[in-house]
Amino acid sequence: MMKGKILGIETSCDDTAAAVVAGGKTILSNVISSQVDIHTRFGGVVPEVASRSHLEVINAIIDEALLRAELDFSQLSGIAVSYGPGLVGSLLVGVSTAKALAFVRRLPLAAVNHLEGHIYANFLTGATIGFPFLCLVVSGGHTMLIWVTGHSQMEILGRTRDDAAGEVFDKVARALNLGYPGGPVIDRLSAKGNPASINFPRALLKGEENYDFSFSGLKTAVLNYIHERKAQQIELNLFDLAASFQAAVVDVLVQKTYMAALAKGARQVLLAGGVAANAELRRRMREVFVPKAIELIYPPPELCTDNAAMIASAGYYHLRAGKIAGWDLNAAPSPEL
Ligand code: KG4
Ligand code: ZN
């Protein structure tokens, strides 16, 4: 089990992914089939379409992951699947497949919370991670500051009270007809813009130990700005707009993470989730933490966004601790972390 090879399966949203990871840390294969081309026409993920697409490709993706790892089922120590949060129809495809394979191949099954999986992407970076650490999870559906004291031992310090950070990136991009997902596009445009050109609100929700987030005010301010300009037929500078919006999100994420790191005496700060791929967020976090000798760890961009390697890594630690899921495992749209 120490160097156990785990097959990870991830189908919570619009990516069908399978990966094999050894010992929770070494990626042997990491295969992703994105449905972006299908959903981009609709400006977002269409749940019915997503689950059907997962079903069409999941078996081929798993075969490919084993092929690239040069392994067959008999050489695996277990199977890990993300069971939620996410779109229930999509999750169900991964969960049913993982259960069927584990049953037939007589392998132990690990049920991984998708958000916990995001945190474990950091274990695939080669960094030496020690408990406790602080983790900022910023994805399309979640924004959370988590104090992690051991494997699967987490204290949620703060979360968003309304929209998630990634969701706001996607909604602003959609209002600008920039396609889906919006985060990467805004990231690229921002590099050419002036972040100080428009002063968008930063909701810091005052209070010394308040680590909650709120992004709906910012979203409304940006959407109003866009609509007003359009109504007055004033041309938008997309670069400046993107950079100014992005700066407002990043400012809040950095400030709250910094406050929490100091309050907790964190020695390591980890970033996770799709928005952690953001170049400006990474740069600003480095700027804050490196001089303080607080180690900052983040996965490469392709491991920040949804993938199955992170699920396999988290699953390895579950199985090592004897946490084996039962055959009654079901997809859960919004389980507690
Ligand atoms: O973690 P993830 O792949 O899926 C969820 O679990 O939600 O996160 C997807 C989110 C999307 O909202 C996407 O726009 C955002 O992450 N994202 C980014 C970047 N890359 C992906 N946001 C900002 N900058 C990026 N470079
Ligand atoms: Zn995710």
Side-chain angles (χ1 to χ4, degrees):
M1 188 62 217
M2 269 319 282
K3 281 279 168 257
K5 299 178 181 76
I6 308 294
L7 170 70
I9 298 175
E10 159 62 47
T11 61
S12 66
C13 190
D14 59 340
D15 293 305
T16 316
V20 182
V21 171
K25 291 189 171 160
T26 310
I27 297 178
L28 302 182
S29 67
N30 190 19
V31 184
I32 301 181
S33 163
S34 165
Q35 302 176 6
V36 141
D37 296 347
I38 306 170
H39 298 293
T40 209
R41 278 183 271 152
F42 306 104
V45 177
V46 184
E48 287 301 315
V49 177
S51 45
R52 217 172 313 140
S53 309
H54 284 306
L55 203 51
E56 281 165 14
V57 300
I58 182 95
N59 289 321
I61 296 297
I62 291 171
D63 287 347
E64 183 66 22
L66 289 169
L67 191 75
R68 289 193 199 171
E70 297 181 38
L71 293 171
D72 59 46
F73 278 101
S74 68
Q75 293 162 291
L76 293 176
S77 302
I79 297 181
V81 64
S82 92
Y83 71 99
L87 302 169
V88 75
S90 291
L91 289 163
L92 212 46
V93 176
V95 169
S96 319
T97 306
K99 273 162 65 171
L101 289 174
F103 186 78
V104 170
R105 305 288 179 174
R106 298 173 188 275
L107 288 166
L109 180 67
V112 175
N113 183 299
H114 178 80
L115 299 174
E116 185 186 9
H118 272 301
I119 299 173
Y120 278 80
N122 284 284
F123 285 75
L124 301 166
T125 60
T128 306
I129 298 170
F131 298 107
F133 59 77
L134 177 70
C135 186
L136 173 71
V137 180
V138 267
S139 70
H142 296 82
T143 307
M144 282 180 170
L145 266 170
I146 306 172
W147 182 241
V148 185
T149 53
H151 290 296
S152 302
Q153 300 204 307
M154 304 178 213
E155 180 195 344
I156 296 170
L157 304 179
R159 52 177 16 128
T160 182
R161 295 189 183 169
D162 38 58
D163 294 354
E167 193 179 342
V168 181
F169 270 94
D170 294 336
K171 284 178 178 163
V172 167
R174 189 175 176 158
L176 294 168
N177 290 318
L178 297 174
Y180 169 86
V185 190
I186 291 186
D187 192 345
R188 279 198 300 276
L189 291 172
S190 298
K192 295 180 192 152
N194 172 8
S197 58
I198 311 159
N199 188 21
F200 288 125
R202 278 110 166 115
L204 286 169
L205 308 172
K206 289 284 179 244
E208 222 160 77
E209 300 217 341
N210 189 336
Y211 306 119
D212 280 346
F213 302 87
S214 165
F215 290 109
S216 73
L218 169 64
K219 177 188 71 183
T220 308
V222 178
L223 297 185
N224 284 346
Y225 180 91
I226 296 168
H227 294 143
E228 276 165 21
R229 301 280 139 151
K230 273 190 188 156
Q232 296 165 21
Q233 296 184 320
I234 302 171
E235 208 180 324
L236 285 169
N237 181 327
L238 271 187
F239 303 111
D240 286 349
L241 177 60
S244 302
F245 156 69
Q246 182 178 274
V249 178
V250 169
D251 265 357
V252 174
L253 294 176
V254 171
Q255 273 205 49
K256 294 262 167 178
T257 306
Y258 184 61
M259 267 169 42
L262 291 193
K264 285 288 186 182
R267 301 178 65 179
Q268 289 184 319
V269 173
L270 279 58
L271 308 182
V275 182
N278 186 270
E280 180 65 6
L281 179 68
R282 294 154 86 97
R283 189 186 69 76
R284 291 279 309 283
M285 288 281 189
R286 281 197 304 272
E287 212 171 76
V288 166
F289 288 113
V290 172
K292 293 281 173 197
I294 294 172
E295 190 183 0
L296 177 70
I297 300 166
Y298 44 71
E302 68 277 13
L303 292 177
C304 288
T305 47
D306 289 349
N307 65 86
M310 68 188 197
I311 304 300
S313 172
Y316 168 84
Y317 293 101
H318 279 221
L319 296 179
R320 203 181 66 168
K323 277 176 59 184
I324 298 172
W327 302 122
D328 59 348
L329 176 68
N330 204 351
S334 43
E336 284 299 307
L337 189 60

